[in-house]
């Protein structure tokens, strides 16, 4: 019986050791997870760099093969380019047409502005439009400068 108790106590000690071992592994899991994420990130960066370098190498190989294939090829011009005299525009006529078009557009804009302007410019037009007497008329100003002597409060 004493041997059974000793065997069971030894087994208990062994199980406690295993429990401690597994508890340490469970406690280290987040640390290992961070290390794994860091390794994965580094791996992806290195893999991307490798793929980029590999793609550039393949492009360089393709370009080299194309150069080797085209080394024997030569190009020659069959029909040289020439300037035809009939195709040039008459610059004087074009210049005059542009000036006339600009003046016409300007005159058209002024006409439309005056046509759609509904402001009253003369006292008679005001009386005719509203059938009211004109009490005062403000004379046109000579500019934006300071008021003339004798005008204003003093």
């Amino acid at each position: 019986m004493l041997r059974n108790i000793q065997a069971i106590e030894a087994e208990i000690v062994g199980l406690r050791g295993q429990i401690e071992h597994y508890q340490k592994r469970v406690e280290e899991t987040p640390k290992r997870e961070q290390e794994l994420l860091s390794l994965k990130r580094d791996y992806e960066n290195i893999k991307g760099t490798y793929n980029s370098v590999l793609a550039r190498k393949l492009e360089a190989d393709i370009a080299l093969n194309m150069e080797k294939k085209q080394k024997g090829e030569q190009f020659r011009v069959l029909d040289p380019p020439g300037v035809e005299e009939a195709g040039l525009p008459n610059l004087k006529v074009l210049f005059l047409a542009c000036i006339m078009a600009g003046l016409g557009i300007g005159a058209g804009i002024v006409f439309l502005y005056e046509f759609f302007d509904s402001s009253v410019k003369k006292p008679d037009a005001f009386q005719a439009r509203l059938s009211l007497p004109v009490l005062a008329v403000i004379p046109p100003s000579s500019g934006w400068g300071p008021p003339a002597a004798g005008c204003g409060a003093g």
Side-chain angles (χ1 to χ4, degrees):
M1 181 111 161
L2 190 58
R3 285 187 177 173
N4 269 344
I5 293 174
Q6 288 176 350
I8 291 173
E9 285 178 354
E11 188 177 337
I12 289 172
V13 169
L15 290 174
R16 284 186 180 155
Q18 285 182 352
I19 289 172
E20 288 177 15
H21 173 72
Y22 287 121
Q23 274 184 333
K24 285 180 184 177
R25 286 183 65 185
V26 168
E27 289 172 359
E28 291 179 357
T29 299
K31 181 181 175 184
R32 299 288 180 221
E33 183 180 11
Q34 290 296 326
E35 291 174 357
L36 178 64
L37 289 175
S38 175
L39 288 174
K40 282 184 179 180
R41 183 177 56 245
D42 292 344
Y43 171 75
E44 292 298 325
N45 289 340
I46 292 171
K47 184 179 177 184
T49 304
Y50 172 75
N51 288 336
S52 172
V53 169
L54 184 63
R56 284 190 280 169
K57 182 189 179 300
L58 290 175
E59 289 175 5
D61 289 343
I62 290 171
L64 183 65
N65 287 336
M66 288 178 68
E67 282 183 22
K68 286 180 182 178
K69 287 180 183 178
Q70 291 178 354
K71 196 172 192 178
E73 294 180 13
Q74 292 182 356
F75 297 99
R76 63 186 166 113
V77 177
L78 297 176
D79 189 17
V83 178
E84 297 179 16
E85 292 296 326
L88 295 176
N90 188 350
L91 294 179
K92 290 180 182 178
V93 172
L94 184 63
F95 179 71
L96 289 175
C98 289
I99 287 178
M100 294 303 291
L103 289 173
I105 290 172
I109 290 173
V110 168
F111 172 76
L112 288 175
Y113 178 75
E114 287 296 322
F115 182 75
F116 288 112
D117 187 15
S118 62
S119 64
V120 178
K121 300 195 179 10
K122 296 183 180 179
D124 298 337
F126 181 77
Q127 282 181 339
R129 188 181 286 182
L130 297 178
S131 300
L132 294 173
V134 176
L135 299 176
V137 176
I138 300 173
S141 106
S142 62
W144 291 99
C151 293

